[in-house]
């Protein structure tokens, strides 16, 4: 990946996939800016904020110079079937996963260079249904809709907008989700077997997929979804 002075902004930069991407970019000589609830010591710059709060997002991007790219990874998950899901839980998942991505794009936009790249992280959950995860599935479907709409809006500036949709990824995010289930270890084993490759993804593998879409090697790819799921959807 070619070196540029302009930075890549990453929401959720302190998480499993986010921190892997930060390391990947820094190794390539790129500046990586993290926007997350938690600090990211490995980033060139790190801003602690709630990605669903517009004033905080706007303030963070106002402090940044030119951006070569934006990656929206920040996400949350809450269990609950449709008939029992509290409205506040639904609203929180949608606020972080969908609204947060929209706000990041909105406020990064003035600083994105012509020819830059936006990558949203969705999920195979946008294509399937799992009992008890209604809000998460809906939010990840919304991320894909946002990607498709934004790709047309930014095309006149030669800014590409794409999405990466992982299957299960071995991260603390996944660990927390499994901890909420009474048979977490059994579910973990089932999750590995659900992929043709027989395992979950490593965070660095998803970071590589994102890095590809950020790079000039993907200069003619926009408005599309890169499914990096180890054959999860194929096996279903």
């Amino acid at each position: 990946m070619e070196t540029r002075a302009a930075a890549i902004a990453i929401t959720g930069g302190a998480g499993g996939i986010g921190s892997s991407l930060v390391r990947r970019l820094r190794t390539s000589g790129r500046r990586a800016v993290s926007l997350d609830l938690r600090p990211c010591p490995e980033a060139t710059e790190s801003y602690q904020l709630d990605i669903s709060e517009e004033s905080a997002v706007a303030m963070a991007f106002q402090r940044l110079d030119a951006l070569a790219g934006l990656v929206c990874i920040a996400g949350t998950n809450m269990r609950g079937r449709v008939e029992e899901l509290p409205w506040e839980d639904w609203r929180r998942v949608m606020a972080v996963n969908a609204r947060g991505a929209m706000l990041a794009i909105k406020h990064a936009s003035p600083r994105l260079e012509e020819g830059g790249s936006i990558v949203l992280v969705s999920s195979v959950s946008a294509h399937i249904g799992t009992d008890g995860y209604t809000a998460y599935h809906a939010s990840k479907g919304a991320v894909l809709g946002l990607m498709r709409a934004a790709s047309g809006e930014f095309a006149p500036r030669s800014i590409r907008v794409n999405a990466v949709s992982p299957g299960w990824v071995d991260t603390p995010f996944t660990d927390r989700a499994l901890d909420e289930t009474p048979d977490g270890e059994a579910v973990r084993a089932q999750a590995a077997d659900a992929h043709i490759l027989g395992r979950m993804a490593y965070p660095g593998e998803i970071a590589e997929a994102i890095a590809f879409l950020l790079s000039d090697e993907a200069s003619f790819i926009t408005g599309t979804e890169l499914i990096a799921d180890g054959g999860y959807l194929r096996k279903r």
Side-chain angles (χ1 to χ4, degrees):
M1 187 183 298
E2 64 287 340
T3 302
R4 291 183 181 178
I8 305 292
I10 306 163
T11 75
I17 297 173
S19 59
S20 290
L21 180 60
V22 166
R23 289 191 294 272
R24 168 68 171 79
L25 294 172
R26 295 297 303 277
T27 299
S28 302
R30 306 295 295 269
R31 294 172 55 223
V33 178
S34 172
L35 299 92
D36 200 310
L37 285 172
R38 295 171 296 146
C40 180
E42 297 168 296
T44 312
E45 297 174 73
S46 180
Y47 296 96
Q48 290 182 249
L49 54 83
D50 183 337
I51 196 64
S52 71
E53 295 292 336
E54 183 163 17
S55 60
V57 174
M59 185 176 299
F61 280 105
Q62 285 170 5
R63 295 173 180 171
L64 299 179
D65 297 322
L67 293 173
L70 168 69
V71 182
C72 298
I73 305 176
T76 191
N77 191 5
M78 294 186 182
R79 286 175 57 85
R81 297 171 61 88
V82 174
E83 65 266 29
E84 62 189 27
L85 183 67
W87 168 243
E88 286 303 318
D89 288 357
W90 169 275
R91 187 164 67 176
R92 181 60 184 164
V93 173
M94 296 299 290
V96 174
N97 297 1
R99 184 171 186 257
M102 181 277 291
L103 290 176
I105 295 173
K106 176 181 178 180
H107 292 286
S109 172
R111 285 158 177 78
L112 280 168
E113 294 180 332
E114 182 172 330
S117 176
I118 298 171
V119 182
L120 310 183
V121 174
S122 181
S123 169
V124 292
S125 293
H127 300 279
I128 64 173
T130 304
D131 293 351
Y133 290 98
T134 304
Y136 188 75
H137 287 289
S139 70
K140 290 302 184 178
V143 168
L144 291 184
L146 173 62
M147 176 273 291
R148 295 186 183 107
S151 65
E153 294 183 9
F154 285 92
R157 293 172 55 191
S158 297
I159 294 173
R160 298 172 293 107
V161 187
N162 294 290
V164 172
S165 291
W168 287 73
V169 186
D170 195 0
T171 63
F173 182 91
T174 298
D175 292 338
R176 288 191 295 272
L178 293 174
D179 286 344
E180 294 178 0
T181 64
D183 52 352
E185 287 307 310
V187 174
R188 178 180 286 276
Q190 293 168 7
D193 291 340
H195 304 76
I196 287 178
L197 296 182
R199 62 174 175 84
M200 296 186 193
Y202 304 122
E205 292 174 312
I206 307 306
E208 286 293 337
I210 296 169
F212 166 69
L213 290 176
L214 288 172
S215 75
D216 287 346
E217 281 72 22
S219 59
F220 202 59
I221 301 174
T222 195
T224 196
E225 175 190 18
L226 173 55
I227 298 177
D229 71 343
Y232 181 91
L233 292 178
R234 165 65 177 79
K235 194 164 184 178
R236 289 177 69 93

